[in-house]
């Protein structure tokens, strides 16, 4: 089946930029989502990018898509302690709105 | 506007017991989904309902059944619980199951332990 891979852990200093990377296998993915999960909570949509775009910026968030290499990244500028959470990359798959989730990257922000 | 609600929040079962996880959404969405989340793994789709009256298997349907009771409600049933079904279960909904950038909204989850 289709697969999504992410690094499991990222530690950054408050105020620095964070970059979370994701690779996926389904070349037919049309929408690629980033979700955030805080401890004990459900998933919250952060942003998404359509497959015909290379970049999307949304306030502190920048998403880069390299469709040829099937690589997606999420950059968080001026990272704050409130950004500490697990971040999931989730491309859609199979011609439907079925999402394939990576294992998630745990972002730890320290002073 | 409550969004997606799930009950119960926590549940402990013994092997072989049955239970139903409830999910409801008040956003007038057509499509609903059930996922499970295990440590170190992403969410995996169990079943989904593209529209009222239809259900389809996802990636890991074995041991589960679903019912789309009406447009608002989508339940997940474990007929004979097994320890391998210990997990956090999330329900989600979206306006449709098409690929038009339909955001999925998630509930808070149900933490299930099977002893």
């Amino acid at each position: 089946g289709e697969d999504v891979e992410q690094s499991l852990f990222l530690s950054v200093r408050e105020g620095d930029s964070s970059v979370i990377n994701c690779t996926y296998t389904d070349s037919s993915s049309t929408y690629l989502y980033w979700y955030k999960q805080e401890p004990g909570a459900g998933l919250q949509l952060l942003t998404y990018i359509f497959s015909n775009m290379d970049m999307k910026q949304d306030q502190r968030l920048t998403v880069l898509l390299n469709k040829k290499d099937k690589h997606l990244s999420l950059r968080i500028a001026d990272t704050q302690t409130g950004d500490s959470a697990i971040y999931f990359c989730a491309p859609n798959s199979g011609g439907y709105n079925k999402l394939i989730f990576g294992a998630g990257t745990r972002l730890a922000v320290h002073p | 506007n409550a969004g997606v609600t799930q009950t119960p929040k926590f549940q402990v079962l013994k092997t072989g017991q049955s239970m139903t996880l409830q999910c409801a959404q008040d956003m007038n969405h057509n499509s609903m989904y059930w996922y499970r989340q295990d440590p170190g793994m992403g969410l995996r789709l169990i079943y989904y309902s593209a529209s009222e009256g239809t259900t389809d298997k996802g990636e890991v349907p074995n041991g589960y059944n679903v019912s789309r009771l009406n447009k608002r409600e989508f339940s997940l049933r474990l007929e004979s619980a097994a320890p391998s079904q210990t997990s956090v279960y999330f329900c989600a909904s979206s306006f449709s199951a098409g690929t038009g950038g339909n955001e999925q909204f998630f509930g808070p989850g149900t933490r299930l332990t099977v002893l």
Side-chain angles (χ1 to χ4, degrees), chain A:
Chain A
E2 301 301 341
D3 194 24
V4 175
E5 291 194 0
Q6 301 178 236
S7 53
L8 293 182
F9 190 74
L10 177 65
S11 178
V12 299
R13 187 170 295 173
E14 193 174 13
D16 287 351
S17 291
S18 309
V19 179
I20 301 170
N21 293 300
C22 167
T23 57
Y24 61 99
T25 58
D26 188 353
S27 57
S28 69
S29 294
T30 51
Y31 285 86
L32 301 100
Y33 298 86
W34 283 102
Y35 280 87
K36 175 184 180 182
Q37 185 181 33
E38 296 181 352
L43 277 69
Q44 173 193 359
L45 180 70
L46 280 180
T47 186
Y48 67 90
I49 189 167
F50 186 51
S51 58
N52 70 351
M53 300 169 66
D54 297 326
M55 184 181 83
K56 181 180 179 182
Q57 192 151 358
D58 186 358
Q59 298 182 326
R60 291 191 298 125
L61 305 177
T62 302
V63 179
L64 296 178
L65 174 61
N66 182 328
K67 199 175 176 187
K68 174 176 166 289
D69 294 337
K70 301 191 196 68
H71 183 266
L72 184 71
S73 68
L74 173 70
R75 178 177 179 268
I76 305 173
D78 186 25
T79 311
Q80 302 298 308
T81 54
D83 295 322
S84 294
I86 301 175
Y87 292 80
F88 292 95
C89 166
N92 71 335
S93 183
Y96 288 92
N97 203 23
K98 287 186 288 186
L99 302 182
I100 307 296
F101 285 84
T105 299
R106 183 177 296 274
L107 174 65
V109 182
H110 55 90

Side-chain angles (χ1 to χ4, degrees), chain B residues 22-89:
Chain B
Q22 305 286 354
C23 173
Q25 52 90 10
D26 62 1
M27 296 174 282
N28 201 33
H29 284 167
N30 294 295
S31 303
M32 299 184 74
Y33 313 80
W34 276 106
Y35 293 89
R36 60 177 288 172
Q37 183 181 31
D38 300 301
M41 299 182 71
L43 278 70
R44 291 181 293 168
L45 183 66
I46 305 171
Y47 271 93
Y48 71 102
S49 171
S51 61
E52 189 179 353
T54 69
T55 60
D56 285 287
K57 294 179 181 178
E59 185 185 353
V60 288
N62 291 345
Y64 305 96
N65 285 301
V66 290
S67 295
R68 183 75 184 266
L69 303 167
N70 48 54
K71 191 172 184 178
R72 290 186 64 248
E73 298 172 290
F74 189 37
S75 63
L76 178 72
R77 182 159 178 84
L78 287 70
E79 290 292 352
S80 179
S84 61
Q85 294 178 303
T86 293
S87 189
V88 181
Y89 291 86

